Amino acid sequence: GLYAARVNQVWSVDTTYIKVTGGMVYMAAIIDWHSKAALSHKISNTMDVLNEALTYKNLWIYAEFNQSKLKVA
């Protein structure tokens, strides 16, 4: 498996379904594997590509702001 020895070395995207009164909402989050921190998240009432696209946009903004090198796993 892949091992993250330091923060900002490996990130992943997780999508979660959350049951709420009246239906479901969907959350997409970017997780740092080393710290287990959620770096970015978006919640939507529809499971659409836009939700994850916006999350990826936040990922790139975060990487640029922190001058991190992105490694896609």
Side-chain angles (χ1 to χ4, degrees), residues 4-69:
R6 65 186 192 290
V7 172
N8 292 334
Q9 185 179 22
V10 179
W11 295 339
S12 63
V13 174
D14 180 40
T15 303
T16 302
Y17 305 83
I18 304 167
K19 188 174 182 178
V20 297
T21 303
M24 300 284 282
V25 294
Y26 310 93
M27 181 181 78
I30 297 173
I31 310 296
D32 178 278
W33 280 24
H34 180 77
S35 69
K36 309 296 189 266
L39 305 177
S40 176
H41 73 279
K42 292 288 177 186
I43 297 176
S44 175
N45 61 353
T46 61
M47 185 61 181
D48 55 12
V49 178
L50 180 60
N51 187 29
E52 293 197 39
L54 289 172
T55 304
Y56 279 115
K57 181 179 178 184
N58 286 342
L59 169 67
W60 289 109
I61 291 168
Y62 183 87
E64 281 189 31
F65 179 75
N66 287 291
Q67 299 177 350
S68 302
K69 294 193 177 189

